[in-house]
Short mmCIF file of all heavy atoms in Angstrom, two decimals:
data_model
loop_
_atom_site.label_atom_id
_atom_site.label_comp_id
_atom_site.label_asym_id
_atom_site.label_seq_id
_atom_site.Cartn_x
_atom_site.Cartn_y
_atom_site.Cartn_z
N THR A 101 0.82 -1.21 0.00
CA THR A 101 0.00 0.00 0.00
C THR A 101 0.86 1.27 0.00
O THR A 101 2.05 1.21 0.32
CB THR A 101 -0.94 0.01 1.24
OG1 THR A 101 -1.83 1.10 1.16
CG2 THR A 101 -0.13 0.08 2.53
N THR A 102 0.22 2.38 -0.35
CA THR A 102 0.88 3.69 -0.26
C THR A 102 0.48 4.41 1.03
O THR A 102 1.04 5.46 1.35
CB THR A 102 0.51 4.57 -1.46
OG1 THR A 102 -0.92 4.74 -1.49
CG2 THR A 102 0.96 3.94 -2.77
N ILE A 103 -0.50 3.86 1.74
CA ILE A 103 -1.04 4.51 2.94
C ILE A 103 -0.09 4.33 4.12
O ILE A 103 0.33 3.21 4.43
CB ILE A 103 -2.42 3.94 3.29
CG1 ILE A 103 -3.38 4.08 2.11
CG2 ILE A 103 -2.99 4.63 4.54
CD1 ILE A 103 -3.63 5.50 1.66
N LYS A 104 0.23 5.45 4.79
CA LYS A 104 1.15 5.38 5.92
C LYS A 104 0.44 5.04 7.22
O LYS A 104 0.88 4.18 7.99
CB LYS A 104 1.90 6.71 6.06
CG LYS A 104 2.83 7.02 4.89
CD LYS A 104 3.56 8.34 5.11
CE LYS A 104 4.50 8.63 3.95
NZ LYS A 104 5.22 9.92 4.14
N LYS A 105 -0.66 5.74 7.49
CA LYS A 105 -1.38 5.52 8.75
C LYS A 105 -2.88 5.59 8.48
O LYS A 105 -3.35 6.42 7.70
CB LYS A 105 -0.99 6.57 9.79
CG LYS A 105 0.47 6.51 10.22
CD LYS A 105 0.81 7.62 11.19
CE LYS A 105 0.47 7.22 12.61
NZ LYS A 105 0.94 8.23 13.59
N SER A 106 -3.62 4.69 9.14
CA SER A 106 -5.08 4.74 9.07
C SER A 106 -5.65 3.80 10.12
O SER A 106 -4.96 2.90 10.60
CB SER A 106 -5.59 4.34 7.67
OG SER A 106 -5.49 2.96 7.50
N ALA A 107 -6.92 4.00 10.47
CA ALA A 107 -7.57 3.12 11.44
C ALA A 107 -7.67 1.70 10.90
O ALA A 107 -7.51 0.73 11.65
CB ALA A 107 -8.96 3.68 11.75
N LYS A 108 -7.92 1.58 9.61
CA LYS A 108 -8.02 0.24 9.01
C LYS A 108 -6.68 -0.48 9.10
O LYS A 108 -6.61 -1.68 9.40
CB LYS A 108 -8.47 0.34 7.55
CG LYS A 108 -8.57 -1.01 6.85
CD LYS A 108 -9.04 -0.87 5.42
CE LYS A 108 -10.49 -0.51 5.37
NZ LYS A 108 -11.02 -0.58 3.98
N LYS A 109 -5.60 0.24 8.85
CA LYS A 109 -4.27 -0.36 8.92
C LYS A 109 -3.99 -0.86 10.33
O LYS A 109 -3.49 -1.97 10.52
CB LYS A 109 -3.23 0.67 8.49
CG LYS A 109 -1.83 0.10 8.26
CD LYS A 109 -0.92 1.15 7.64
CE LYS A 109 0.45 0.57 7.33
NZ LYS A 109 1.34 1.57 6.69
N SER A 110 -4.32 -0.07 11.33
CA SER A 110 -4.12 -0.47 12.72
C SER A 110 -4.97 -1.69 13.06
O SER A 110 -4.51 -2.62 13.74
CB SER A 110 -4.47 0.68 13.66
OG SER A 110 -3.64 1.79 13.42
N PHE A 111 -6.21 -1.71 12.58
CA PHE A 111 -7.11 -2.83 12.83
C PHE A 111 -6.55 -4.13 12.26
O PHE A 111 -6.53 -5.17 12.93
CB PHE A 111 -8.48 -2.52 12.22
CG PHE A 111 -9.44 -3.68 12.23
CD1 PHE A 111 -10.16 -4.00 13.38
CD2 PHE A 111 -9.62 -4.47 11.09
CE1 PHE A 111 -11.05 -5.08 13.39
CE2 PHE A 111 -10.49 -5.54 11.10
CZ PHE A 111 -11.21 -5.85 12.26
N LEU A 112 -6.08 -4.07 11.02
CA LEU A 112 -5.56 -5.27 10.37
C LEU A 112 -4.22 -5.71 10.97
O LEU A 112 -3.94 -6.91 11.04
CB LEU A 112 -5.44 -5.03 8.87
CG LEU A 112 -6.76 -4.86 8.12
CD1 LEU A 112 -6.52 -4.50 6.66
CD2 LEU A 112 -7.61 -6.13 8.22
N GLN A 113 -3.42 -4.77 11.40
CA GLN A 113 -2.16 -5.13 12.04
C GLN A 113 -2.40 -5.92 13.31
O GLN A 113 -1.64 -6.85 13.64
CB GLN A 113 -1.34 -3.86 12.34
CG GLN A 113 -0.66 -3.28 11.10
CD GLN A 113 0.03 -1.97 11.38
OE1 GLN A 113 -0.42 -1.17 12.20
NE2 GLN A 113 1.14 -1.73 10.68
N LYS A 114 -3.46 -5.59 14.04
CA LYS A 114 -3.82 -6.34 15.25
C LYS A 114 -4.24 -7.76 14.92
O LYS A 114 -4.15 -8.65 15.77
CB LYS A 114 -4.94 -5.62 16.00
CG LYS A 114 -4.50 -4.32 16.64
CD LYS A 114 -5.66 -3.59 17.32
CE LYS A 114 -5.19 -2.27 17.93
NZ LYS A 114 -6.33 -1.52 18.54
N LYS A 115 -4.69 -7.98 13.68
CA LYS A 115 -5.04 -9.33 13.23
C LYS A 115 -3.84 -10.09 12.67
O LYS A 115 -3.97 -11.21 12.18
CB LYS A 115 -6.14 -9.26 12.17
CG LYS A 115 -7.53 -8.99 12.73
CD LYS A 115 -8.57 -9.03 11.64
CE LYS A 115 -9.97 -9.06 12.22
NZ LYS A 115 -10.32 -10.37 12.81
N GLY A 116 -2.67 -9.46 12.71
CA GLY A 116 -1.45 -10.12 12.25
C GLY A 116 -1.07 -9.81 10.82
O GLY A 116 -0.09 -10.36 10.31
N VAL A 117 -1.82 -8.93 10.17
CA VAL A 117 -1.51 -8.56 8.79
C VAL A 117 -0.27 -7.66 8.77
O VAL A 117 -0.15 -6.74 9.59
CB VAL A 117 -2.70 -7.85 8.12
CG1 VAL A 117 -2.34 -7.39 6.72
CG2 VAL A 117 -3.91 -8.78 8.10
N GLN A 118 0.64 -7.94 7.84
CA GLN A 118 1.83 -7.12 7.68
C GLN A 118 1.63 -6.15 6.51
O GLN A 118 0.82 -6.42 5.61
CB GLN A 118 3.06 -8.00 7.41
CG GLN A 118 3.34 -9.00 8.52
CD GLN A 118 4.46 -9.96 8.15
OE1 GLN A 118 5.33 -9.64 7.35
NE2 GLN A 118 4.44 -11.14 8.76
N PHE A 119 2.37 -5.06 6.54
CA PHE A 119 2.25 -4.06 5.48
C PHE A 119 3.61 -3.74 4.89
O PHE A 119 4.62 -3.73 5.59
CB PHE A 119 1.60 -2.78 6.03
CG PHE A 119 0.14 -2.91 6.29
CD1 PHE A 119 -0.33 -3.44 7.48
CD2 PHE A 119 -0.78 -2.52 5.32
CE1 PHE A 119 -1.69 -3.57 7.72
CE2 PHE A 119 -2.14 -2.65 5.55
CZ PHE A 119 -2.60 -3.18 6.75
N LEU A 120 3.60 -3.51 3.59
CA LEU A 120 4.79 -3.07 2.88
C LEU A 120 4.41 -1.80 2.13
O LEU A 120 3.57 -1.83 1.24
CB LEU A 120 5.27 -4.15 1.91
CG LEU A 120 6.49 -3.81 1.04
CD1 LEU A 120 7.69 -3.42 1.90
CD2 LEU A 120 6.83 -4.98 0.14
N GLN A 121 5.03 -0.69 2.53
CA GLN A 121 4.67 0.59 1.94
C GLN A 121 5.53 0.88 0.71
O GLN A 121 6.74 0.69 0.72
CB GLN A 121 4.85 1.71 2.96
CG GLN A 121 4.29 3.04 2.48
CD GLN A 121 4.36 4.10 3.57
OE1 GLN A 121 4.22 3.79 4.74
NE2 GLN A 121 4.56 5.34 3.17
N VAL A 122 4.87 1.31 -0.35
CA VAL A 122 5.56 1.70 -1.58
C VAL A 122 5.11 3.11 -1.95
O VAL A 122 4.04 3.56 -1.54
CB VAL A 122 5.25 0.73 -2.74
CG1 VAL A 122 5.78 -0.66 -2.44
CG2 VAL A 122 3.74 0.68 -3.04
N ASN A 123 5.92 3.79 -2.71
CA ASN A 123 5.56 5.14 -3.16
C ASN A 123 4.68 5.11 -4.40
O ASN A 123 3.82 5.96 -4.60
CB ASN A 123 6.82 5.95 -3.44
CG ASN A 123 7.64 6.21 -2.19
OD1 ASN A 123 7.07 6.43 -1.11
ND2 ASN A 123 8.95 6.16 -2.31
N SER A 124 4.93 4.11 -5.24
CA SER A 124 4.19 4.02 -6.51
C SER A 124 4.27 2.59 -7.03
O SER A 124 5.19 1.85 -6.70
CB SER A 124 4.77 5.00 -7.52
OG SER A 124 4.14 4.86 -8.77
N LEU A 125 3.30 2.22 -7.85
CA LEU A 125 3.33 0.91 -8.51
C LEU A 125 2.71 1.08 -9.89
O LEU A 125 1.65 0.53 -10.20
CB LEU A 125 2.56 -0.12 -7.67
CG LEU A 125 2.95 -1.59 -7.86
CD1 LEU A 125 4.43 -1.81 -7.60
CD2 LEU A 125 2.13 -2.49 -6.95
N LYS A 126 3.40 1.84 -10.71
CA LYS A 126 2.90 2.14 -12.05
C LYS A 126 3.84 1.66 -13.14
O LYS A 126 3.41 1.11 -14.14
CB LYS A 126 2.68 3.65 -12.19
CG LYS A 126 1.60 4.23 -11.29
CD LYS A 126 1.47 5.73 -11.49
CE LYS A 126 0.39 6.32 -10.59
NZ LYS A 126 0.28 7.79 -10.77
N LYS A 127 5.13 1.90 -12.95
CA LYS A 127 6.11 1.58 -13.98
C LYS A 127 6.72 0.20 -13.76
O LYS A 127 6.64 -0.37 -12.66
CB LYS A 127 7.22 2.64 -13.98
CG LYS A 127 6.73 4.05 -14.27
CD LYS A 127 7.87 5.05 -14.20
CE LYS A 127 7.38 6.47 -14.47
NZ LYS A 127 8.49 7.46 -14.37
N LYS A 128 7.33 -0.32 -14.80
CA LYS A 128 7.96 -1.63 -14.73
C LYS A 128 8.99 -1.69 -13.61
O LYS A 128 9.05 -2.67 -12.87
CB LYS A 128 8.61 -1.98 -16.07
CG LYS A 128 9.26 -3.36 -16.09
CD LYS A 128 9.78 -3.69 -17.48
CE LYS A 128 10.39 -5.10 -17.52
NZ LYS A 128 10.83 -5.47 -18.88
N ASN A 129 9.78 -0.64 -13.47
CA ASN A 129 10.80 -0.62 -12.43
C ASN A 129 10.20 -0.64 -11.03
O ASN A 129 10.83 -1.14 -10.08
CB ASN A 129 11.72 0.59 -12.59
CG ASN A 129 12.71 0.41 -13.73
OD1 ASN A 129 12.97 -0.71 -14.17
ND2 ASN A 129 13.25 1.51 -14.23
N ASP A 130 8.99 -0.08 -10.88
CA ASP A 130 8.31 -0.14 -9.58
C ASP A 130 8.03 -1.59 -9.20
O ASP A 130 8.22 -2.01 -8.05
CB ASP A 130 6.99 0.64 -9.62
CG ASP A 130 7.19 2.13 -9.82
OD1 ASP A 130 8.28 2.63 -9.47
OD2 ASP A 130 6.26 2.78 -10.33
N PHE A 131 7.55 -2.37 -10.18
CA PHE A 131 7.26 -3.78 -9.93
C PHE A 131 8.53 -4.57 -9.67
O PHE A 131 8.57 -5.44 -8.80
CB PHE A 131 6.48 -4.37 -11.10
CG PHE A 131 5.04 -3.98 -11.13
CD1 PHE A 131 4.61 -2.93 -11.93
CD2 PHE A 131 4.10 -4.65 -10.36
CE1 PHE A 131 3.29 -2.55 -11.96
CE2 PHE A 131 2.77 -4.28 -10.38
CZ PHE A 131 2.36 -3.23 -11.18
N ILE A 132 9.56 -4.29 -10.45
CA ILE A 132 10.84 -5.00 -10.26
C ILE A 132 11.37 -4.74 -8.85
O ILE A 132 11.83 -5.67 -8.17
CB ILE A 132 11.86 -4.57 -11.32
CG1 ILE A 132 11.44 -5.11 -12.69
CG2 ILE A 132 13.26 -5.07 -10.98
CD1 ILE A 132 12.31 -4.65 -13.84
N SER A 133 11.28 -3.49 -8.39
CA SER A 133 11.73 -3.16 -7.03
C SER A 133 10.91 -3.92 -5.99
O SER A 133 11.46 -4.43 -5.00
CB SER A 133 11.61 -1.66 -6.78
OG SER A 133 12.48 -0.93 -7.63
N LEU A 134 9.59 -4.02 -6.23
CA LEU A 134 8.74 -4.77 -5.31
C LEU A 134 9.12 -6.23 -5.28
O LEU A 134 9.26 -6.83 -4.20
CB LEU A 134 7.27 -4.62 -5.73
CG LEU A 134 6.26 -5.49 -4.96
CD1 LEU A 134 6.27 -5.14 -3.48
CD2 LEU A 134 4.87 -5.35 -5.55
N PHE A 135 9.32 -6.82 -6.45
CA PHE A 135 9.69 -8.24 -6.50
C PHE A 135 11.05 -8.49 -5.84
O PHE A 135 11.27 -9.53 -5.21
CB PHE A 135 9.69 -8.73 -7.95
CG PHE A 135 8.33 -8.80 -8.57
CD1 PHE A 135 8.15 -8.50 -9.92
CD2 PHE A 135 7.22 -9.14 -7.82
CE1 PHE A 135 6.89 -8.56 -10.50
CE2 PHE A 135 5.96 -9.20 -8.40
CZ PHE A 135 5.79 -8.90 -9.73
N GLN A 136 11.96 -7.53 -5.97
CA GLN A 136 13.26 -7.68 -5.31
C GLN A 136 13.10 -7.68 -3.79
O GLN A 136 13.75 -8.47 -3.09
CB GLN A 136 14.19 -6.55 -5.76
CG GLN A 136 14.67 -6.67 -7.19
CD GLN A 136 15.47 -5.46 -7.66
OE1 GLN A 136 15.42 -4.39 -7.04
NE2 GLN A 136 16.21 -5.62 -8.73
N ILE A 137 12.24 -6.83 -3.29
CA ILE A 137 11.98 -6.79 -1.84
C ILE A 137 11.34 -8.11 -1.39
O ILE A 137 11.72 -8.67 -0.36
CB ILE A 137 11.06 -5.60 -1.49
CG1 ILE A 137 11.79 -4.29 -1.74
CG2 ILE A 137 10.60 -5.68 -0.04
CD1 ILE A 137 10.90 -3.06 -1.64
N LEU A 138 10.40 -8.60 -2.17
CA LEU A 138 9.73 -9.85 -1.81
C LEU A 138 10.72 -11.01 -1.81
O LEU A 138 10.65 -11.90 -0.97
CB LEU A 138 8.58 -10.12 -2.78
CG LEU A 138 7.39 -9.14 -2.68
CD1 LEU A 138 6.36 -9.44 -3.76
CD2 LEU A 138 6.74 -9.21 -1.30
N LYS A 139 11.65 -11.00 -2.75
CA LYS A 139 12.67 -12.05 -2.78
C LYS A 139 13.53 -11.99 -1.53
O LYS A 139 13.87 -13.02 -0.93
CB LYS A 139 13.54 -11.94 -4.03
CG LYS A 139 14.54 -13.10 -4.17
CD LYS A 139 15.31 -13.00 -5.46
CE LYS A 139 16.18 -14.25 -5.66
NZ LYS A 139 17.17 -14.42 -4.59
N LYS A 140 13.90 -10.79 -1.10
CA LYS A 140 14.70 -10.64 0.12
C LYS A 140 13.93 -11.14 1.34
O LYS A 140 14.53 -11.55 2.34
CB LYS A 140 15.10 -9.18 0.31
CG LYS A 140 16.15 -8.71 -0.69
CD LYS A 140 16.50 -7.25 -0.47
CE LYS A 140 17.55 -6.78 -1.47
NZ LYS A 140 17.87 -5.34 -1.31
N ARG A 141 12.60 -11.11 1.25
CA ARG A 141 11.77 -11.61 2.35
C ARG A 141 11.51 -13.12 2.26
O ARG A 141 10.72 -13.67 3.02
CB ARG A 141 10.44 -10.85 2.40
CG ARG A 141 10.60 -9.39 2.79
CD ARG A 141 9.28 -8.78 3.20
NE ARG A 141 9.44 -7.41 3.66
CZ ARG A 141 8.50 -6.75 4.34
NH1 ARG A 141 7.34 -7.35 4.65
NH2 ARG A 141 8.70 -5.51 4.74
N GLY A 142 12.16 -13.76 1.30
CA GLY A 142 12.10 -15.21 1.22
C GLY A 142 11.12 -15.78 0.23
O GLY A 142 10.90 -16.99 0.19
N PHE A 143 10.54 -14.94 -0.63
CA PHE A 143 9.59 -15.44 -1.62
C PHE A 143 10.33 -15.73 -2.93
O PHE A 143 10.89 -14.83 -3.54
CB PHE A 143 8.47 -14.42 -1.86
CG PHE A 143 7.63 -14.15 -0.64
CD1 PHE A 143 7.64 -12.91 -0.03
CD2 PHE A 143 6.85 -15.15 -0.10
CE1 PHE A 143 6.87 -12.66 1.09
CE2 PHE A 143 6.07 -14.93 1.03
CZ PHE A 143 6.08 -13.68 1.63
N ASN A 144 10.30 -16.99 -3.34
CA ASN A 144 11.04 -17.42 -4.53
C ASN A 144 10.14 -17.90 -5.66
O ASN A 144 10.55 -17.94 -6.80
CB ASN A 144 12.02 -18.53 -4.15
CG ASN A 144 13.06 -18.07 -3.16
OD1 ASN A 144 13.89 -17.22 -3.47
ND2 ASN A 144 13.02 -18.61 -1.95
N ARG A 145 8.92 -18.30 -5.31
CA ARG A 145 7.96 -18.80 -6.31
C ARG A 145 6.63 -18.11 -6.04
O ARG A 145 5.96 -18.42 -5.04
CB ARG A 145 7.81 -20.32 -6.24
CG ARG A 145 9.05 -21.10 -6.66
CD ARG A 145 8.85 -22.61 -6.47
NE ARG A 145 7.72 -23.11 -7.23
CZ ARG A 145 7.78 -23.50 -8.50
NH1 ARG A 145 8.94 -23.44 -9.16
NH2 ARG A 145 6.72 -23.95 -9.12
#
């Protein structure tokens, strides 16, 4: 998400949901950067 703070975010965090904040997800490089972060978090497939 691009949202930094909100009541919904706090509510879901209490349920164990994690958040990854991005500035944008429009260009190819935005997606590549996201996938690189996900890989560093252990996602390979």
Side-chain angles (χ1 to χ4, degrees):
T101 186
T102 59
I103 304 299
K104 294 181 180 180
K105 296 177 86 174
S106 75
K108 179 179 288 189
K109 191 171 183 179
S110 299
F111 171 81
L112 292 175
Q113 283 175 327
K114 290 177 181 177
K115 283 184 168 286
V117 177
Q118 301 174 26
F119 286 84
L120 177 57
Q121 189 174 327
V122 296
N123 295 322
S124 176
L125 205 56
K126 295 179 180 179
K127 299 178 181 178
K128 182 175 182 177
N129 284 340
D130 295 335
F131 284 97
I132 290 175
S133 296
L134 173 61
F135 291 144
Q136 288 174 343
I137 293 171
L138 293 175
K139 185 176 187 299
K140 288 179 180 178
R141 293 196 176 195
F143 297 114
N144 297 295
R145 293 176 59 86

